[in-house]
Amino acid sequence: MTEQARRRRELVRMMEQYTEALIEKAPDALPLAANCRATYNGREIAVGDNEVWHNTLVIAQRQTFVDPVSGEMVFFGVMTNETVERNQDFEIRTHVYAASYHYTVRIKVVDGLITEIEELACNRRLRYFFSQIEEIKLPDLEFEIPIPEEERATREELIAIINAYWDALDRKEGWEQLPIHPDAQRYENGYRTTNHSHSFRGDFKHNPSFRWPTPASTRSFPVVDPTRGLVVSECMLEGGGNIADGGRGMMIVEAFKIKDGAICHLIAHFPLLSGPTGWEK
């Protein structure tokens, strides 16, 4: 086993430990570094002290992305307190409302200890995204398909492609050179936004509200996986064509699939966050 494969396995086990701790309401079970920093939708918190940890009984949908080079991983999930079978372990004695969350968490691990936890969540359907949270399906197996070795891009090339995507959102020009695969599809909070009225590239060309300032200081690339042609990137879409009344904008986390040097597939998560994440450079 290579060192990278061993490291990858350690990260996968760590994420499973994290999700189990979340379900069991046991943050003390996590191997936290003394200086571990945690945020929830941009707010500094004690680990486990937020609505997702308090309410989750079941993780209905799951997908984990890991990067043994950066030591970071990102988890996409659908979290809920709605169980199919309410046995004695989940007996409900009082009336409670059903709660669901579209959830991502970024975790950084150093020397076997968790040093960073960045949780982002959304508990409702956002306007114009017509999929309910409960309709989101994970894992998206497109991200699990390996790229043939002779066709793989390097880490640097993958990051450059996604930076070109953020740049194209930021400007009214440059989208013509953006590398987009002919099979490209985009899903936002579970809703497919492409090929209804415009193609993936057509949104850049025809949709005047498809423009957002995307400051480089808010861009990050916690997971870059050349073997799978995968990049997970975060960015703040600052006040643009879709924001009225001087609003700050929207935070976004996107998982990109790159094939043949072009963006082929992506899923995006918009949490309920319109201000700084606290993790800007």
Side-chain angles (χ1 to χ4, degrees):
M1 183 188 303
T2 65
E3 177 62 22
Q4 185 160 314
R6 183 194 65 79
R7 176 69 168 152
R8 182 180 176 88
R9 291 186 181 187
E10 287 181 351
L11 291 173
V12 168
R13 285 195 291 269
M14 183 71 80
M15 184 58 80
E16 196 269 343
Q17 188 173 354
Y18 179 87
T19 56
E20 287 300 294
L22 190 155
I23 293 171
E24 298 295 332
K25 315 291 181 284
D28 292 344
L30 294 173
L32 302 176
N35 63 341
C36 178
R37 181 183 175 216
T39 65
Y40 176 75
N41 282 355
R43 176 173 56 87
E44 299 273 350
I45 61 165
V47 177
D49 187 17
N50 63 62
E51 59 184 333
V52 173
W53 278 73
H54 296 163
N55 288 312
T56 298
L57 298 180
V58 171
I59 303 177
Q61 307 289 331
R62 309 166 174 246
Q63 188 156 18
T64 300
F65 306 105
V66 305
D67 186 340
V69 175
S70 68
E72 296 186 70
M73 43 193 171
V74 176
F75 176 86
F76 281 60
V78 173
M79 329 296 271
T80 180
N81 66 353
E82 189 76 85
T83 58
V84 175
E85 295 180 0
R86 295 188 176 91
N87 56 28
Q88 60 184 358
D89 295 327
F90 296 117
E91 183 178 357
I92 296 177
R93 298 181 179 276
T94 59
H95 179 80
V96 282
Y97 291 99
S100 293
Y101 302 88
H102 186 197
Y103 172 84
T104 65
V105 60
R106 178 188 61 84
I107 295 175
K108 185 174 180 63
V109 177
V110 177
D111 296 329
L113 298 176
I114 297 173
T115 60
E116 297 178 4
I117 300 174
E118 180 186 6
E119 294 178 292
L120 296 163
C122 180
N123 65 355
R124 67 198 70 172
R125 180 180 70 79
L126 300 182
R127 191 179 185 190
Y128 302 128
F129 299 160
F130 299 113
S131 290
Q132 299 292 343
I133 293 173
E134 297 82 359
E135 298 175 54
I136 296 171
K137 300 300 180 186
L138 297 168
D140 187 326
L141 297 181
E142 179 72 35
F143 295 106
E144 304 301 331
I145 302 173
I147 302 296
E149 188 170 0
E150 65 274 13
E151 298 174 13
R152 291 174 191 169
T154 65
R155 292 179 64 89
E156 293 73 21
E157 289 169 337
L158 291 171
I159 291 173
I161 290 170
I162 305 312
N163 262 324
Y165 171 84
W166 295 130
D167 287 343
L169 280 179
D170 193 270
R171 306 166 186 161
K172 297 186 184 301
E173 55 188 27
W175 54 265
E176 299 93 341
Q177 289 76 43
L178 185 65
I180 297 174
H181 197 281
D183 300 338
Q185 298 279 18
R186 182 181 63 250
Y187 294 81
E188 298 180 349
N189 284 15
Y191 175 65
R192 180 170 60 82
T193 64
T194 43
N195 301 307
H196 299 301
S197 56
H198 303 304
S199 65
F200 196 117
R201 189 183 300 279
D203 272 332
F204 291 94
K205 183 177 182 180
H206 299 293
N207 188 346
S209 66
F210 203 67
R211 292 291 181 272
W212 303 85
T214 57
S217 63
T218 71
R219 302 179 193 180
S220 66
F221 305 89
V223 176
V224 182
D225 183 349
T227 300
R228 294 164 180 79
L230 166 70
V231 178
V232 180
S233 182
E234 299 181 6
C235 186
M236 175 63 74
L237 309 182
E238 295 201 332
N242 290 331
I243 292 295
D245 303 322
R248 168 68 190 272
M250 301 179 74
M251 179 63 186
I252 190 172
V253 185
E254 302 199 28
F256 298 83
K257 177 77 171 189
I258 310 298
K259 293 198 300 188
D260 303 307
I263 298 172
C264 183
H265 190 79
L266 74 82
I267 57 175
H269 172 210
F270 289 87
L272 292 178
L273 177 63
S274 60
T277 67
W279 298 95
E280 289 81 4
K281 300 183 186 68

